[in-house]
Amino acid sequence: MNSINYVTEYEYASAALLLVLMALYAARKKFHTETNGLFAALLVCTLISSVMHICTTKMLGHASDYPLWLNYTVNIAYLLAYVSISVIYLVYVSVITKRRNERKADRMIARTCLIVNSVLLLTTPATKLIIYFDSDMNYLHGPLFNILPGIAIFILLYTLIRLVQSRKQLKTIQSISILTFTILSTIATLIQLAYPQQIMGNYVIALSLLMFYISLENPSEYVDSLTNCSNAEAFFITAESFIERKRNFSAAAFCPQGLNYFTELLGLRESGRICAIVADKLKKRLKKSELFYLGNWEFVIISENAEASELAAVIQDFFKDPISMNGIEASVTPYICTLTYPGFVNGAKDIRDAIDYTLKSMKGGKETLMEMTSGSLEAKQRELKVLAAIKQAIKDDSFQMYYQPLYDIKTGSFSSAEALIRMIDKELGFVSPEEFIPLAEANGLIPEIGELSFRSVCRFLKSGKAQKYGIKYIEVNLSVLQCAQEKLGSQLIGIMEEYGIPPEQINFEITETAGLANYDTLLSNMNRLISRGVSFSMDDYGTGFSTANYLITLPTDIVKIDKSILWPAMENNEAFIVLRHTVEMLRSLKKKIVVEGVETAEMVKLLSEIGCDFLQGYYYSKPIPPDAFIMFLSQKASTVQTV
Ligand code: C2E
Ligand code: CA
Ligand code: CA
């Protein structure tokens, strides 16, 4: 009697612990995750098992005081709840370990075990196979009783295999929790089902669930510390779980433009708080919708109740009023993109990709509200393919440099050429540098490409063929990111020395944006290279800010007027005036002038008249491979001679 009283206290303790856990769990902020429901089911099942076990132990010595059906009901309920814990646990682990391919098998095993357990237990009053009461109302195990612990232990060992298979994907604390639960409950099950009076099993399980609560069902992991919003990981889990459960939902992602005003005035650290303020205020306006902060000033709202357009309207309305912090006010325009599920996406990653692509494509444009389309996803996927192709081309050193001659009006010959990079991928074919250079920049691959292409140009110059036909220098494009690298100057000098190329044979093209990125580094790189004899061109003049400042302060000899200035000048008089005055201004600044995009004889005539120095364009030649370029030069030389 004593021993039963003593052991029951464990069950009271376990029931109390479970109730506390349930209360904590219910009060806590949750995401619509699959483990949510399963964790709750584990808590409930363990609680039923505990309570029923208390009843069975209370009734054990006095079974005859109660009707037979009640004895059976209480005992069967206890056993069924107890063996179901391991079944739910299997599904729970299956979800956590994210082994999608095995999930079907896991569920089938769980279902089969549940059915076998239920059938055996529910029929035991008739079959007496699991438990029964003899004529004196003594509680006894039937011949098949050991099947129950057998199944439970089989399941626990099976989850152990899953754990081992996916240990790399799990955090250490997750692995430890699963391992502890599995081992402890295996031991507890063995003891408990063999010796019913030793009833610590539920207590051990309750303790393990506490561990799960802390380590696996930990909400702080899903909260962004800056904004106190659910984070990107939480967004992923939520969206994925909606999609898996085939629930309809809508999403609206947005990126507030204008918050950088606070960054400028308050500094990055302090201004980060503006995101938190925005999140906090916006949350109050959202009914039954969840707000997530994806990072990088990007938010997304997911809702099962509101239409995508309604979400967009809430966001627009929210940003109607200026945002204020520390007495500073700024009006903020959000770029919003929306999506409705089901649609073109197949998973949370698709949504993330579509958001990334759509918001990026909206920046700097006029549209502030767009629907995400399969096109955005395709474009994102194309980006990923191009990115992979770039990486492959870097690995194989398979970029090619093409050369486009520059015509020298004064001498009537081709005295220089621009090196332009080409990528021809096995799968994608020709990919334009306009497409892959920005991608390479955004992904930090430009320094490697820059080095490979400059080596290629140096190899070409080393052959000396082009120089024989009067080529004095090659123009090489430098990207903004390259210019911001401190070691750029010494690296380029090193390569020129390696190939024995006189620095005078190189002219680097930079754009104004290079100055914006890191002016001081750019300038020191330029001065270092210039001191060796290299010269510089200002590329794409007329497309950017065209600040007089950079024109004056950056030591460039040549300015390349962009085709977007030339082409309209052929069509209308105002644009022609702009071109003419640009040329005049640059001449007064003693810059040599190149005009790009020269396609017709008419352009050649006009540009020669207004005093340009060099012409570059399809009129003379498209960019062509090195051999073709040498051939081009030799033909031109022979025509000049024969003329
Ligand atoms: P960019 O530096 O402005 O190069 C001139 C672009 O105009 C080249 O395009 C050239 O093929 C094109 N072009 C030249 N003449 C004409 C013409 O008469 N009509 C027309 N319609 N186009 C003409 P491409 O080769 O596609 O290069 C595009 C851009 O990619 C370049 O613009 C440059 O910004 C970048 N890029 C190319 N090669 C390199 C490189 O080696 N390194 C870096 N960082 N960027 C490069
Ligand atoms: Ca260029
Ligand atoms: Ca250009």
Side-chain angles (χ1 to χ4, degrees), residues 34-231:
E34 255 189 300
T35 59
N36 266 185
L38 290 165
F39 186 73
L42 275 173
L43 289 175
V44 171
C45 220
T46 316
L47 185 66
I48 294 175
S49 168
S50 270
V51 172
M52 286 300 151
H53 206 186
I54 293 170
C55 298
T56 62
T57 49
K58 291 281 174 224
M59 289 161 73
L60 199 59
H62 336 271
S64 50
D65 296 353
Y66 304 94
L68 184 62
W69 67 265
L70 189 62
N71 273 299
Y72 267 121
T73 307
V74 172
N75 277 285
I76 289 173
Y78 155 60
L79 285 170
L80 196 56
Y82 191 79
V83 291
S84 299
I85 296 171
S86 56
V87 175
I88 302 168
Y89 176 65
L90 166 60
V91 184
Y92 182 73
V93 171
S94 172
V95 173
I96 291 175
T97 51
K98 297 193 180 112
R99 297 187 72 84
R100 280 169 176 269
N101 298 341
E102 284 103 2
R103 211 177 266 191
K104 255 200 180 138
D106 293 349
R107 282 182 192 251
M108 211 188 65
I109 289 174
R111 206 171 295 134
T112 313
C113 293
L114 188 67
I115 292 170
V116 173
N117 284 339
S118 310
V119 169
L120 286 174
L121 277 165
L122 294 174
T123 57
T124 198
T127 61
K128 299 192 176 0
L129 288 173
I130 305 294
I131 55 161
Y132 64 97
F133 292 86
D134 66 7
S135 49
D136 298 329
M137 286 300 275
N138 288 316
Y139 169 89
L140 293 165
H141 286 171
L144 296 187
F145 180 84
N146 284 337
I147 286 188
L148 298 187
I151 289 177
I153 286 162
F154 161 75
I155 291 179
L156 292 167
L157 292 178
Y158 182 82
T159 56
L160 213 53
I161 296 173
R162 280 282 172 274
L163 173 65
V164 173
Q165 284 172 335
S166 27
R167 64 191 180 284
K168 289 210 179 88
Q169 287 99 284
L170 294 174
K171 299 189 185 106
T172 316
I173 184 79
Q174 293 181 321
S175 299
I176 291 175
S177 301
I178 297 176
L179 196 67
T180 314
F181 184 99
T182 310
I183 292 172
L184 287 183
S185 39
T186 306
I187 296 169
T189 304
L190 278 173
I191 296 174
Q192 177 150 0
L193 291 172
Y195 308 99
Q197 67 275 31
Q198 293 296 328
I199 52 173
M200 284 170 66
N202 285 319
Y203 186 63
V204 167
I205 292 170
L207 281 179
S208 308
L209 288 177
L210 176 66
M211 202 160 162
F212 273 135
Y213 180 80
I214 295 165
S215 68
L216 293 173
E217 298 289 319
N218 180 3
S220 69
E221 204 180 320
Y222 300 120
V223 176
D224 176 71
S225 55
L226 175 71
T227 54
N228 216 11
C229 262
S230 310
N231 64 13

Side-chain angles (χ1 to χ4, degrees), residues 401 404 418-422 430 432-434 437 441 446 449 453 476-479 482 509 539-540 560 562-563 567 596-599 616-619 621 623:
M401 294 315 278
Q404 186 178 31
E418 178 174 4
L420 291 154
I421 196 164
R422 296 292 176 258
F430 172 79
S432 160
E434 306 223 48
I437 293 285
E441 288 200 317
I446 271 292
I449 297 179
S453 52
V476 179
N477 289 283
L478 288 183
S479 98
Q482 276 175 289
E509 295 190 2
D539 199 3
D540 299 342
K560 301 187 78 172
D562 196 71
K563 35 192 180 276
W567 290 349
E596 281 185 341
V598 178
E599 293 190 342
Q616 177 184 357
Y618 293 176
Y619 177 75
S621 168

